[in-house]
Amino acid sequence: MTLDLDPRNTARLTISCADRKGIVAAVSQFLHHHGANIIHSDQHSTDPQGGQFFMRMEFHLDGLDLARDQFERAFQKEVAGPFEMTWKVWYTAQPKRMGIMISKYDHCFLDLLVRKRRGELDVEIPLVISNHDTLRGDAEMFGVPFTHVAVTRANKAEAEAEQARLFAEVGVDFVVLARYMQILSGDLLQALGVPVINIHHSFLPAFIGANPYRAAFERGVKLVGATAHYVTEELDAGPIIEQDVARVTHRETPETLMRLGRDVERQVLARAVKAHVEDRVLVSGNKTVVF
Amino acid sequence: MTLDLDPRNTARLTISCADRKGIVAAVSQFLHHHGANIIHSDQHSTDPQGGQFFMRMEFHLDGLDLARDQFERAFQKEVAGPFEMTWKVWYTAQPKRMGIMISKYDHCFLDLLVRKRRGELDVEIPLVISNHDTLRGDAEMFGVPFTHVAVTRANKAEAEAEQARLFAEVGVDFVVLARYMQILSGDLLQALGVPVINIHHSFLPAFIGANPYRAAFERGVKLVGATAHYVTEELDAGPIIEQDVARVTHRETPETLMRLGRDVERQVLARAVKAHVEDRVLVSGNKTVVF
Amino acid sequence: MTLDLDPRNTARLTISCADRKGIVAAVSQFLHHHGANIIHSDQHSTDPQGGQFFMRMEFHLDGLDLARDQFERAFQKEVAGPFEMTWKVWYTAQPKRMGIMISKYDHCFLDLLVRKRRGELDVEIPLVISNHDTLRGDAEMFGVPFTHVAVTRANKAEAEAEQARLFAEVGVDFVVLARYMQILSGDLLQALGVPVINIHHSFLPAFIGANPYRAAFERGVKLVGATAHYVTEELDAGPIIEQDVARVTHRETPETLMRLGRDVERQVLARAVKAHVEDRVLVSGNKTVVF
Amino acid sequence: MTLDLDPRNTARLTISCADRKGIVAAVSQFLHHHGANIIHSDQHSTDPQGGQFFMRMEFHLDGLDLARDQFERAFQKEVAGPFEMTWKVWYTAQPKRMGIMISKYDHCFLDLLVRKRRGELDVEIPLVISNHDTLRGDAEMFGVPFTHVAVTRANKAEAEAEQARLFAEVGVDFVVLARYMQILSGDLLQALGVPVINIHHSFLPAFIGANPYRAAFERGVKLVGATAHYVTEELDAGPIIEQDVARVTHRETPETLMRLGRDVERQVLARAVKAHVEDRVLVSGNKTVVF
């Protein structure tokens, strides 16, 4: 083992399959045999008897005796095929390309821009699409391409087609709805063809819908929360990646509740995006495994 | 000011009324004039323009120049009447009498018994009523009177009448449902005539209903919570006193979720009961002010 | 009471004095008598027998029958003088002027800039002073004046004199050390003559000193924290305004510990600054009362 | 795979050794080959280049083709020996025997007794030793053997010898200091020969020493904490298992600080004990890995 391994020369292998004996042995044997140096390994089994198995391994490529395409062919043939695995490998040398969709709220958007700029999020941001022109200045301040695509009831289908086309043109690995105040149609989700992460401004499943802070205020809750989840066709029902809450008191107005909630939104979305970027989130039905 | 004031010789005055100028001045003038030594004072206004005003004051009785009944008559006449206040005074020398209703779950019940025994909760427990005989041993272990009142679909009305009669016989200042697995009818609530505190095993309003941990497991949430609230006729909709959550992961089973949740339930119920016992909770419509 | 009160036309009165009977009555009488409409009122007594009394009141100026200087003279004469109060009044129409000192770390600095820009912090930022030129670009991006004052062991006294002069020139109501990596001398603190808030990257008093994340890593703690405090001559010993922590595990490296810690630093500093800006923090010896 | 596996018929294998390639492959191969059905697997590497490797595996014994002693001999010979592992295996059918040492504080003690009684902690409690007779009644209430061993400055060595003898007589797998107010000598730790868990009433390393709540009160902290750690000869410096905090305000007295702190102590100790009982805690120098 050499002491000068390049920390960026690693790969992350994520796997899910029906649980059965010998999976861990097969995967670790394969990597061991080909000279990969495993740095992290996580696994989860929903139920050892007939459940689903999930695994995430991060390993150095330095000692690997296979080129990328050789690795992928060999792994599919020797391990993934026999165990009928759903799997992928991500090479960390390549930052993920993150598309962003926004409306008028800037708190989550600015937070992502600041974290990207500070090097906390290893991403490129090839495009921001907004249905309002409000935050163009913020995007420009951070040197991020911004396009305004107006969405009305009348033009929704064309607007969505345009959004899909724009993202396809630049190429994105995933899309973040940083308080995008429109519902994405199933057609758009399919056209995008990449994971879409949304931040919902409540502790789902409480206060589903359009005005959760008002609803929270009226119910007199003592905590407000936020939920980051993958978007599915069913509104607010996609797999939850991360949630958190902040304590509030009877002193809050709808405005202070919202302000406290926005701090939670920022944090929750940032954690979810970071976990996604690092290939830590595996989807399991309508839930997630977050390693 | 003498240095030997008896810390138990205090009173707590709680007030609510329509907000207007001069309330604080009137109350503090009155207490000051009659020699009361204010220890704590909290106030809250839902909206300075036409809102509701809430106040809690704790003061020593030592310097007071009025006897209890004189105090109450004078305060009503000079302050509470003119401002149309809803108010009460509680003398701390007298521990509150706490009735408890339980079924088969022991975690909240044992927690209350331990806290009472340790002197953390300044209460007397004149009676525990259960619809099962399961926890009789626990009650006896702690020397607390226990009565089993079976409740069936057929006898519910009579059972509730019996429960109300039993509590009335011993006298209770409030009742705690420490995971009592029955819905109290409006008739029983009225017959009890005292505040009733319930612990709901979820972060209300999420997972209203009978099996919230199963629902939380199936939704794949990343936090489980508990909610203590006053009971009203509308199920799970009464004023929330306290809420909290615990972080969970994809590793939880419904069983571990429940175990983690029960630690939250205990804590949340204990805090809510302590706040109620210390007259810190004022009801404001379907919400609470917790000083 | 009119319904069109200007929400910015309010004042905040903060008071501290030796505790004795009649303070609340005197203050509220005075305000009531002169037509002030109290919106919020908080009070705290460290010990009703011979302790210190603290009060914060926010009231509308609309109904007040006194001009600013009349109010101040009358309050001093009728209330503050007799009770020997330390007090001040702040008019919310006037945003506080916040000086910032930084070195090379940008996370707290960018967070303050973003919050100011979003209107979360009601401040003006007339000047940022840094002992490095590193973050000039960030300041310029947000349109905030930035001056580089190099500090070496040799020139420290002159550099500090220059810093004091620069802040005096523009005028600041308080100064925030947003991870400024130099110790301020007593002379500088005195020359500034305004409160100085520091963010320490640990849960004080644990890990006092220069490299708390390394120390936390080596001690194997399960939580990392941050502490915002007023700066006094004694290092890391000033009155604590706010603290918080984040959970960490054995998986952290010194780098991930630092990254998690920085999220806490940002939040804690932002909350402390907001509380200070809203006149919620009263100093009580080496502690704070935070209303 | 049969569907009627006995959930209590499992074993937990914990391993630590110098990190090198092939460990995971070797262990999982071995278990797979002998028919063990892995339920959970966790691993951690402090540093993939020359660090320490830790692993915890839980597996069903049902399919295993080796008897207990065969398993242990074979694993030592085929896997543990070649990799120079420190390892052990625990069979879950056998509850761990927990010794308890206490003084006069009952909150942690009662919490452990309640959790044991409720089945939350899978332990037997063969003996409680106290240096005071105060809590005998609590022990008896829960049917747990209690012995009073008075400890004075003069008899400390003999008292400790007696304590070690008493625990040896009944046999314990670990000892919990549930607010035992004496320092254990190195001799006693050696004589016990099992892990000893202590609950310290502060967020270590802040407020080391005898009266942390008083120190926290005087420092004006905004959070109080508790730390559960393994006991070593150096006071308050052993490997930390679990920590947590509770938010406090300027309103706390030393008494309320202590009361809030005790709720944290209980929770932190309970979580640490549960983790230990489930073989989730591996010691790594002066730190822990908690799976």
Side-chain angles (χ1 to χ4, degrees):
Chain A
M1 194 179 301
T2 61
L3 287 168
D4 53 356
L5 296 179
D6 176 357
R8 291 301 302 264
N9 193 26
T10 68
R12 303 182 198 116
L13 179 64
T14 48
I15 290 167
S16 68
C17 62
D19 202 358
R20 45 193 259 220
K21 283 188 191 178
I23 302 174
V24 178
V27 176
S28 49
Q29 271 289 92
F30 177 88
L31 291 175
H32 178 51
H33 181 73
H34 289 291
N37 190 25
I38 298 169
I39 308 170
H40 295 295
S41 170
D42 291 286
Q43 53 198 275
H44 174 64
S45 176
T46 57
D47 181 348
Q49 299 176 56
Q52 200 69 10
F53 178 83
F54 300 89
M55 192 172 202
R56 177 188 184 273
M57 285 189 137
E58 185 162 355
F59 54 94
H60 269 290
L61 299 169
D62 294 28
L64 201 69
D65 63 11
L66 298 169
R68 284 192 188 190
D69 57 342
Q70 288 177 311
F71 175 88
E72 293 178 25
R73 272 202 308 274
F75 186 75
Q76 174 61 35
K77 188 176 159 202
E78 295 172 34
V79 183
F83 283 96
E84 297 178 70
M85 292 171 172
T86 301
W87 69 284
K88 68 174 188 206
V89 64
W90 187 274
Y91 300 93
T92 51
Q94 180 189 341
K96 286 200 177 60
R97 295 173 69 79
M98 170 169 79
I100 300 182
M101 298 183 81
I102 49 174
S103 292
K104 291 178 167 176
Y105 292 117
D106 59 357
H107 56 291
C108 287
F109 181 46
L110 284 169
D111 193 69
L112 291 174
L113 293 175
V114 165
R115 287 178 195 269
K116 190 270 185 262
R117 187 173 203 268
R118 296 195 62 251
E120 282 181 52
L121 286 177
D122 185 28
V123 292
E124 286 166 6
I125 305 178
L127 185 60
V128 177
I129 296 178
S130 177
N131 59 334
H132 294 278
D133 211 44
T134 321
L135 303 181
R136 180 183 294 276
D138 288 325
E140 286 173 352
M141 191 164 96
F142 283 87
V144 167
F146 176 96
T147 300
H148 173 209
V149 177
V151 183
T152 62
R153 191 171 296 215
N155 82 342
K156 174 136 186 177
E158 301 85 64
E160 287 200 331
E162 173 71 358
Q163 291 166 342
R165 199 189 58 73
L166 288 165
F167 278 133
E169 205 170 270
V170 296
V172 292
D173 295 307
F174 70 111
V175 171
V176 176
L177 310 186
R179 298 297 309 275
Y180 180 65
M181 305 305 282
Q182 296 269 336
I183 295 165
L184 269 54
S185 74
D187 286 349
L188 177 51
L189 290 174
Q190 207 160 358
L192 289 171
V194 293
V196 178
I197 297 173
N198 183 47
I199 180 71
H200 186 83
H201 45 321
S202 90
F203 178 79
L204 285 175
F207 308 123
I208 286 176
N211 204 337
Y213 290 124
R214 168 56 66 176
F217 175 76
E218 275 164 11
R219 185 61 187 88
V221 290
K222 301 300 184 188
L223 300 169
V224 291
T227 304
H229 63 95
Y230 287 118
V231 177
T232 57
E233 284 203 47
E234 193 183 341
L235 189 64
D236 297 341
I240 293 170
I241 305 169
E242 170 68 349
Q243 302 188 290
D244 211 342
V245 293
R247 186 159 282 273
V248 298
T249 74
H250 58 269
R251 294 183 178 268
E252 313 317 334
T253 59
E255 288 69 38
T256 63
L257 217 64
M258 203 178 288
R259 188 173 57 71
L260 291 165
R262 281 179 185 164
D263 265 356
V264 183
E265 291 173 37
R266 276 189 269 226
Q267 293 279 339
V268 166
L269 181 59
R271 283 187 226 137
V273 168
K274 184 157 185 74
H276 179 84
V277 166
E278 296 178 353
D279 301 295
R280 297 185 182 283
V281 193
L282 283 77
V283 172
S284 168
N286 72 328
K287 303 191 203 180
T288 61
V289 168
V290 183
F291 286 127
Chain B
M1 193 180 300
T2 60
L3 287 167
D4 52 356
L5 297 178
D6 176 358
R8 291 301 302 267
N9 193 26
T10 68
R12 302 183 199 117
L13 178 65
T14 49
I15 290 167
S16 68
C17 61
D19 202 357
R20 47 192 258 220
K21 283 188 192 179
I23 303 174
V24 178
V27 176
S28 50
Q29 270 289 93
F30 177 88
L31 291 174
H32 178 50
H33 181 73
H34 288 292
N37 190 26
I38 298 171
I39 308 172
H40 294 297
S41 169
D42 291 286
Q43 54 198 274
H44 174 64
S45 175
T46 57
D47 181 348
Q49 299 176 54
Q52 201 68 11
F53 178 84
F54 300 88
M55 193 171 200
R56 176 189 184 272
M57 286 189 137
E58 185 163 354
F59 54 93
H60 268 289
L61 299 169
D62 294 28
L64 201 69
D65 63 11
L66 297 169
R68 285 191 188 191
D69 56 342
Q70 288 176 310
F71 175 89
E72 293 177 26
R73 270 201 309 275
F75 186 77
Q76 176 60 35
K77 188 177 161 205
E78 296 171 34
V79 183
F83 284 96
E84 297 178 69
M85 291 170 171
T86 301
W87 68 284
K88 65 171 194 211
V89 62
W90 186 274
Y91 300 94
T92 50
Q94 180 189 341
K96 287 199 175 60
R97 294 172 71 79
M98 171 169 78
I100 298 181
M101 297 183 81
I102 50 174
S103 292
K104 291 179 168 177
Y105 292 117
D106 59 357
H107 56 292
C108 287
F109 180 48
L110 284 169
D111 192 68
L112 292 174
L113 294 175
V114 165
R115 287 179 195 269
K116 192 265 185 270
R117 186 174 204 269
R118 296 195 60 252
E120 283 181 51
L121 287 177
D122 185 27
V123 292
E124 286 166 6
I125 305 177
L127 183 61
V128 176
I129 297 179
S130 177
N131 60 333
H132 294 278
D133 212 42
T134 320
L135 302 180
R136 179 182 295 276
D138 289 324
E140 285 172 353
M141 192 164 94
F142 283 87
V144 167
F146 176 97
T147 299
H148 173 208
V149 177
V151 182
T152 63
R153 190 171 297 214
N155 83 341
K156 176 139 185 174
E158 301 86 63
E160 287 200 332
E162 173 71 358
Q163 292 166 342
R165 198 190 57 73
L166 287 165
F167 278 132
E169 203 172 273
V170 296
V172 290
D173 294 306
F174 70 111
V175 171
V176 176
L177 309 186
R179 298 295 310 278
Y180 180 65
M181 306 305 282
Q182 296 270 336
I183 296 165
L184 269 54
S185 73
D187 286 350
L188 177 51
L189 289 175
Q190 207 161 356
L192 290 171
V194 292
V196 178
I197 297 173
N198 183 45
I199 179 74
H200 186 82
H201 45 321
S202 90
F203 177 79
L204 285 177
F207 308 122
I208 286 176
N211 204 337
Y213 289 124
R214 168 55 68 176
F217 176 76
E218 275 164 11
R219 185 62 187 88
V221 291
K222 301 299 184 188
L223 301 169
V224 290
T227 303
H229 63 95
Y230 288 118
V231 178
T232 56
E233 284 204 48
E234 193 182 341
L235 189 63
D236 296 342
I240 292 171
I241 305 169
E242 169 68 348
Q243 301 189 290
D244 212 341
V245 294
R247 187 159 281 273
V248 297
T249 76
H250 58 268
R251 293 183 179 269
E252 313 318 332
T253 59
E255 288 68 39
T256 64
L257 218 65
M258 202 178 290
R259 188 174 55 71
L260 291 165
R262 281 177 185 167
D263 265 357
V264 184
E265 291 173 35
R266 276 188 269 226
Q267 294 278 337
V268 166
L269 181 59
R271 284 188 224 137
V273 168
K274 184 158 184 75
H276 178 84
V277 165
E278 296 178 353
D279 300 296
R280 298 185 180 282
V281 193
L282 282 77
V283 172
S284 167
N286 72 327
K287 302 191 205 181
T288 61
V289 169
V290 182
F291 286 128
Chain C
M1 193 180 303
T2 61
L3 285 169
D4 52 358
L5 296 179
D6 176 357
R8 290 301 301 266
N9 193 26
T10 68
R12 304 183 198 114
L13 179 65
T14 48
I15 290 167
S16 68
C17 61
D19 202 357
R20 46 193 259 218
K21 283 187 189 177
I23 303 173
V24 178
V27 175
S28 51
Q29 271 290 92
F30 177 89
L31 292 174
H32 178 50
H33 181 73
H34 289 291
N37 190 25
I38 298 170
I39 309 170
H40 294 297
S41 170
D42 291 288
Q43 54 198 275
H44 173 63
S45 177
T46 57
D47 182 349
Q49 299 176 55
Q52 200 68 12
F53 178 83
F54 300 88
M55 193 172 200
R56 177 189 184 273
M57 286 191 135
E58 186 164 355
F59 55 93
H60 269 289
L61 299 169
D62 294 29
L64 201 68
D65 61 12
L66 297 169
R68 284 193 188 189
D69 56 342
Q70 289 176 312
F71 175 87
E72 293 178 25
R73 269 201 309 276
F75 186 75
Q76 175 60 35
K77 188 177 159 202
E78 296 172 34
V79 183
F83 284 96
E84 298 178 67
M85 291 171 172
T86 301
W87 68 285
K88 65 173 193 208
V89 64
W90 187 273
Y91 300 94
T92 51
Q94 181 189 340
K96 286 200 177 59
R97 294 171 72 78
M98 170 168 78
I100 299 182
M101 298 182 80
I102 48 173
S103 293
K104 291 177 168 177
Y105 292 117
D106 60 356
H107 56 290
C108 287
F109 181 47
L110 284 170
D111 192 69
L112 291 174
L113 293 175
V114 165
R115 288 179 194 268
K116 191 272 185 256
R117 186 173 205 269
R118 299 194 60 252
E120 282 181 51
L121 287 177
D122 184 27
V123 292
E124 286 166 6
I125 305 178
L127 184 60
V128 176
I129 297 179
S130 177
N131 58 334
H132 294 279
D133 212 43
T134 321
L135 304 181
R136 181 182 294 276
D138 288 326
E140 286 173 352
M141 193 164 95
F142 282 88
V144 167
F146 175 96
T147 300
H148 173 209
V149 177
V151 183
T152 63
R153 191 171 296 213
N155 82 341
K156 174 137 186 178
E158 300 86 64
E160 287 200 333
E162 174 71 359
Q163 292 166 342
R165 199 188 58 74
L166 287 165
F167 278 133
E169 206 171 270
V170 297
V172 291
D173 295 307
F174 70 111
V175 172
V176 176
L177 309 185
R179 296 299 308 275
Y180 179 65
M181 305 305 280
Q182 296 270 335
I183 295 164
L184 269 52
S185 73
D187 286 350
L188 178 52
L189 290 174
Q190 207 161 356
L192 289 171
V194 293
V196 178
I197 297 173
N198 183 46
I199 179 72
H200 186 83
H201 45 320
S202 90
F203 177 78
L204 285 176
F207 308 123
I208 286 177
N211 204 337
Y213 290 125
R214 168 55 66 174
F217 176 74
E218 276 164 10
R219 184 62 187 90
V221 290
K222 301 299 184 189
L223 300 169
V224 291
T227 303
H229 63 95
Y230 288 119
V231 178
T232 56
E233 283 204 46
E234 194 183 341
L235 190 64
D236 296 343
I240 293 170
I241 305 169
E242 170 67 349
Q243 303 188 290
D244 211 342
V245 294
R247 187 159 281 272
V248 298
T249 75
H250 58 269
R251 292 182 179 267
E252 312 318 332
T253 60
E255 289 67 40
T256 62
L257 217 64
M258 202 176 293
R259 188 173 57 69
L260 291 165
R262 281 179 184 165
D263 265 356
V264 184
E265 291 173 36
R266 275 188 270 226
Q267 294 279 336
V268 166
L269 181 59
R271 283 186 225 138
V273 169
K274 186 160 184 73
H276 178 84
V277 166
E278 296 178 356
D279 301 295
R280 297 185 183 284
V281 193
L282 282 77
V283 171
S284 167
N286 71 328
K287 303 191 204 179
T288 61
V289 168
V290 183
F291 285 129
Chain D
M1 194 181 301
T2 58
L3 287 168
D4 52 357
L5 296 178
D6 176 357
R8 291 301 302 266
N9 194 26
T10 69
R12 303 183 198 116
L13 178 65
T14 48
I15 290 167
S16 67
C17 62
D19 202 357
R20 45 194 259 218
K21 284 187 190 179
I23 303 173
V24 178
V27 175
S28 49
Q29 271 289 93
F30 178 89
L31 291 175
H32 177 51
H33 180 74
H34 289 291
N37 190 27
I38 298 171
I39 309 171
H40 296 296
S41 169
D42 291 287
Q43 54 198 276
H44 174 63
S45 176
T46 57
D47 182 349
Q49 299 176 56
Q52 201 67 13
F53 178 83
F54 300 88
M55 193 172 200
R56 176 189 185 273
M57 285 190 136
E58 186 163 356
F59 54 94
H60 268 289
L61 299 169
D62 295 28
L64 201 69
D65 63 11
L66 297 169
R68 285 192 186 189
D69 56 343
Q70 289 176 311
F71 175 88
E72 293 178 25
R73 269 200 310 274
F75 186 75
Q76 175 60 34
K77 188 177 160 201
E78 296 172 34
V79 183
F83 284 95
E84 297 178 67
M85 290 170 172
T86 302
W87 69 284
K88 64 173 194 207
V89 64
W90 187 273
Y91 300 94
T92 51
Q94 180 189 341
K96 287 200 175 60
R97 295 172 71 79
M98 171 169 78
I100 299 181
M101 297 182 80
I102 48 173
S103 293
K104 291 178 169 176
Y105 292 117
D106 59 358
H107 56 291
C108 287
F109 180 48
L110 284 169
D111 192 68
L112 291 174
L113 293 175
V114 165
R115 287 178 196 270
K116 192 269 185 261
R117 185 173 205 269
R118 296 195 60 250
E120 283 182 50
L121 287 176
D122 184 26
V123 293
E124 285 166 6
I125 304 177
L127 183 60
V128 176
I129 296 179
S130 178
N131 60 333
H132 294 278
D133 212 43
T134 321
L135 303 181
R136 180 183 294 276
D138 288 325
E140 286 174 352
M141 193 164 95
F142 282 88
V144 167
F146 176 96
T147 300
H148 173 208
V149 177
V151 183
T152 63
R153 191 172 296 212
N155 82 342
K156 175 137 184 177
E158 301 85 65
E160 287 200 333
E162 174 71 358
Q163 291 166 342
R165 198 189 57 73
L166 287 166
F167 278 134
E169 205 171 273
V170 297
V172 291
D173 294 306
F174 70 111
V175 171
V176 177
L177 310 186
R179 296 298 308 276
Y180 179 64
M181 305 305 280
Q182 297 269 335
I183 296 165
L184 269 53
S185 73
D187 286 350
L188 177 51
L189 289 175
Q190 207 162 355
L192 290 171
V194 292
V196 178
I197 297 172
N198 183 46
I199 179 73
H200 186 82
H201 44 322
S202 90
F203 177 77
L204 285 176
F207 309 122
I208 286 176
N211 204 337
Y213 288 124
R214 168 55 68 174
F217 176 74
E218 275 163 12
R219 184 62 187 90
V221 291
K222 301 299 185 189
L223 300 169
V224 291
T227 304
H229 63 95
Y230 287 118
V231 178
T232 56
E233 283 204 45
E234 193 182 343
L235 190 64
D236 296 342
I240 293 170
I241 305 168
E242 170 68 347
Q243 303 189 289
D244 212 341
V245 294
R247 188 159 279 272
V248 298
T249 75
H250 58 268
R251 292 182 180 269
E252 312 319 332
T253 60
E255 289 67 40
T256 63
L257 218 64
M258 202 178 291
R259 188 173 56 70
L260 290 165
R262 282 180 184 163
D263 265 355
V264 184
E265 291 173 36
R266 274 187 269 227
Q267 293 278 337
V268 166
L269 181 59
R271 283 187 225 138
V273 169
K274 184 156 185 77
H276 178 85
V277 165
E278 296 178 355
D279 300 296
R280 297 185 182 281
V281 193
L282 282 78
V283 172
S284 167
N286 72 326
K287 303 190 204 179
T288 61
V289 168
V290 183
F291 285 128

